[in-house]
Amino acid sequence: MRYNEELEKAKLIDLQILGLGHNGHIGFNEPDHSLISGTHLVELKQETRAANARFFASIDDVPREALTMGVGTILKAKTILLVVRGADKAEIVHQALTGPITTELPASLLQTHPHLVVLMDAEAGRFFSMNSLVIQNAQVVTEQRTLHRGTVYVQNGLIQSISSDRVAKSDFAEAVVIDADGSWLLPGFIDVHVHGGYGADFMDASSDSLDTITRFHAASGTTSMLATTMTAPHGDIERVLQTVQRYMSGPMPYAQLLGVHLEGPFISPRWPGAQNVNHITLPQRAWLEDWHERYPQLVRQLTLAPEREGALELIAWLRDHGIVAACGHTDANYADIQSAVREGLSHAVHTFNAMKGLHHREPGTVGAVLADSRISGEVIADGQHVHPAAIRLLEMAKQPHGLLLITDAMSAAGLGDGAYELGGQAVTVQAGVARLTEGGALAGSTLTMIGALRYMVREVGVSVEDASRYASGNPARLLRLDERLGSIAPGKQADLLLVSPELELQQVWVQGKAMQMQL
């Protein structure tokens, strides 16, 4: 169609003005399981025709079909203005903008847009207090216990109260009340080691890629994350820092970026994994000093090989500046790790992978991580990187606060098998497993955090409560953000997950705002 072609040429709509149908349609996009993006012909439902009959001599004269711009195209606009008038629209606009996001209610998809402006008259807005949410009849996992049939009250993006009492809807007349029907209510996942997803990589250093990554992982339960870099030239890493700092100063409509995890380039050439050996360099304290001055508090974690020249000095500097010093891609022996811990090393990335293994006469990096309670350890729980028995061993060694679930996801996460790239190297994904095309080394993963939680419960045998702590509470503690993130408690950020008894993700809230579950 010519209209569609012109839209494609324009690339971006500055302002999209919409009305709202009585059944929640926008732009005549009727409720449906599959919403088309481009301009298309749609069959109007009877209630839509009846609502528009006032503009015609009779309902028989109302068209049965309409030419419409698809929701996918609408959502690409820079700004969307939704105009709603009249008491007859009050209930549907309230449901659309505060309830679950679903294609059965097309207007609910507007919740995902970062620049939505809603203009309502008093009658249309009479049910509104968009900042209040009540989730009841849930298995609420807190740090102290699980409340069966519990209730959580959220206002202005923060958790206000938690109780074991069921409330009447009239008690919260201005709030959205959701009946969890016995599902788990968990704190949002915090992924401290993730490279990308859904075709995008943090090394792309573009706001579009950051939107893609945070949107994809939010739909899989990640509510906060560290943008993780690869071993790369100084300039490439700097571009990521610039982009992330700029992105974090904006609204961040999906999962929240907490900062940057620099994985490399100060690693061992003996254990590169999927890192590009051509860009490995000795530790450069001057780089970190410069970045810390120009991007204060942005770098949250640095992964390095502590046995390398200059590493101990850098670890001490990281400790003094509140940055997590982590070992990874390292050939360090037991004594090397012990020396590093004395300087401030406190964490191990993707434990067991890309590090000197355990031997009974030389415990190596793995032995030092297992034996030292001062070191927390990540694990990639995907059934490919680490055997479940090894994960159980790590869990026993790191109880209760020392084990963290991560994805180490690369751009192929959320997509199918095929050819991809990671850190400038070709990657082949087959049966969901990512490997370097040349050499066959594991190249990150296609894992999501909800997938990691399921694996821990189903294959490793931990409780939902423990798996939740490894995916949320412990990462928050590592980053020293546990006063506001990582658990369900009054005063903390309302980053919440509704998860069915079968561990299917039903809904995600970031700061009390519902995320779109379908990409």
Side-chain angles (χ1 to χ4, degrees):
M1 289 180 178
R2 184 176 175 184
Y3 184 67
N4 212 40
E5 290 173 357
E6 292 300 318
L7 282 174
E8 288 295 320
K9 288 179 186 176
K11 302 257 182 226
L12 194 62
I13 300 168
D14 288 319
L15 176 64
Q16 176 74 57
I17 302 175
L18 298 170
L20 177 67
H22 287 77
N23 61 356
H25 75 243
I26 47 174
F28 292 113
N29 287 279
E30 299 279 18
D32 200 318
H33 285 290
S34 124
L35 297 173
I36 302 169
S37 288
T39 304
H40 60 284
L41 201 63
V42 63
E43 183 178 345
L44 299 180
K45 293 187 179 295
Q46 183 62 23
E47 57 263 42
T48 300
R49 297 181 66 237
N52 286 278
R54 65 187 186 277
F55 301 119
F56 297 85
S58 72
I59 192 170
D60 293 331
D61 296 321
V62 179
R64 297 180 181 276
E65 294 180 316
L67 189 66
T68 178
M69 181 186 298
V71 171
T73 304
I74 289 171
L75 291 175
K76 291 178 181 177
K78 282 184 179 179
T79 302
I80 296 177
L81 175 62
L82 180 66
V83 181
V84 189
R85 297 177 60 194
D88 57 335
K89 299 285 182 72
E91 187 170 348
I92 193 67
V93 70
H94 185 263
Q95 181 183 350
L97 297 182
T98 65
I101 298 172
T102 169
T103 54
E104 292 297 324
L105 187 60
S108 69
L109 298 172
L110 296 176
Q111 294 183 44
T112 68
H113 197 278
H115 302 293
L116 171 66
V117 178
V118 183
L119 182 62
M120 293 182 286
D121 62 14
E123 290 182 325
R126 64 194 174 96
F127 290 141
F128 264 84
S129 174
M130 288 185 64
N131 297 321
S132 298
L133 169 70
V134 174
I135 305 167
Q136 61 181 14
N137 198 18
Q139 296 191 74
V140 183
V141 175
T142 72
E143 289 185 294
Q144 294 77 29
R145 62 191 178 112
T146 298
L147 278 72
H148 301 285
R149 308 298 177 185
T151 297
V152 173
Y153 174 48
V154 173
Q155 190 172 42
N156 298 322
L158 297 176
I159 298 167
Q160 298 297 317
S161 65
I162 305 168
S163 74
S164 55
D165 300 323
R166 185 178 178 88
V167 299
K169 190 168 184 178
S170 58
D171 294 339
F172 295 96
E174 295 185 342
V176 178
V177 179
I178 294 176
D179 186 344
D181 195 25
S183 289
W184 296 96
L185 189 66
L186 308 178
F189 302 138
I190 302 172
D191 193 352
V192 301
H193 191 155
V194 52
H195 295 280
Y198 218 64
D201 191 302
F202 282 116
M203 294 302 297
D204 297 340
S206 76
S207 58
D208 285 346
S209 287
L210 270 56
D211 270 344
T212 297
I213 295 166
T214 54
R215 182 180 181 183
F216 166 70
H217 284 288
S220 300
T222 299
T223 54
S224 301
M225 64 175 73
L226 293 183
T228 307
T229 62
M230 293 289 291
T231 291
H234 177 278
D236 291 355
I237 297 172
E238 174 137 346
R239 277 188 286 276
V240 177
L241 296 175
Q242 291 172 345
T243 303
V244 172
Q245 183 185 61
R246 186 166 57 249
Y247 190 81
M248 289 177 63
S249 68
M252 290 198 292
Y254 311 113
Q256 305 292 286
L257 294 184
L258 301 174
V260 172
H261 168 188
L262 299 177
E263 187 180 17
F266 315 136
I267 60 175
S268 169
R270 296 192 63 181
W271 295 89
Q275 305 280 346
N276 193 325
V277 294
N278 294 321
H279 304 309
I280 292 174
T281 183
L282 291 172
Q284 305 290 324
R285 175 175 161 176
W287 293 12
L288 270 297
E289 289 176 335
D290 177 52
W291 288 335
H292 186 70
E293 182 178 347
R294 290 191 292 126
Y295 312 107
Q297 309 305 315
L298 185 63
V299 177
R300 292 276 189 174
Q301 179 173 322
L302 172 70
T303 295
L304 78 172
E307 74 280 8
R308 301 275 278 167
E309 181 184 344
L312 295 182
E313 177 189 1
L314 179 54
I315 289 169
W317 184 92
L318 294 170
R319 175 202 62 208
D320 293 343
H321 290 82
I323 299 170
V324 176
C327 62
H329 296 275
T330 173
D331 197 44
N333 59 31
Y334 184 86
D336 291 331
I337 296 296
Q338 290 295 293
S339 296
V341 169
R342 285 191 289 271
E343 297 301 325
L345 184 87
S346 62
H347 188 59
V349 303
H350 45 52
T351 309
F352 297 109
N353 299 117
M355 60 177 59
K356 194 178 185 73
L358 173 66
H359 187 278
H360 59 284
R361 284 192 290 272
E362 170 41 63
T365 306
V366 170
V369 172
L370 291 171
D372 198 321
S373 62
R374 295 170 293 179
I375 307 173
S376 55
E378 305 169 357
V379 72
I380 307 171
D382 65 350
Q384 299 294 329
H385 282 78
V386 185
H387 192 281
I391 298 178
R392 279 193 288 272
L393 179 63
L394 181 63
E395 189 214 11
M396 287 187 287
K398 293 299 164 189
Q399 281 283 2
H401 299 311
L403 177 60
L404 286 76
L405 297 182
I406 60 160
T407 63
D408 198 13
M410 50 91 69
S411 62
L415 303 177
D417 291 353
Y420 298 89
E421 185 181 287
L422 179 65
Q425 299 185 96
V427 172
T428 300
V429 177
Q430 187 172 2
V433 181
R435 294 183 179 275
L436 289 183
T437 305
E438 185 176 338
L442 285 167
S445 82
T446 59
L447 184 64
T448 60
M449 287 295 282
I450 187 64
L453 180 130
R454 287 192 200 110
Y455 187 85
M456 290 295 291
V457 174
R458 295 172 180 173
E459 304 300 329
V460 180
V462 308
S463 66
V464 170
E465 290 89 342
D466 284 345
S468 172
R469 184 169 68 252
Y470 306 151
S472 305
N474 290 354
R477 288 184 187 89
L478 176 75
L479 300 176
R480 299 172 188 169
L481 296 173
D482 49 309
E483 288 190 2
R484 65 180 180 91
L485 300 175
S487 63
I488 299 177
K492 291 197 174 183
Q493 198 163 292
D495 296 343
L496 301 168
L497 312 176
L498 194 64
V499 179
S500 75
E502 297 76 33
L503 304 184
E504 295 300 321
L505 195 56
Q506 296 172 305
Q507 186 61 63
V508 178
W509 293 270
V510 177
Q511 297 181 4
K513 179 183 177 182
M515 294 287 104
Q516 183 178 351
M517 301 303 294
Q518 296 174 339
L519 298 171

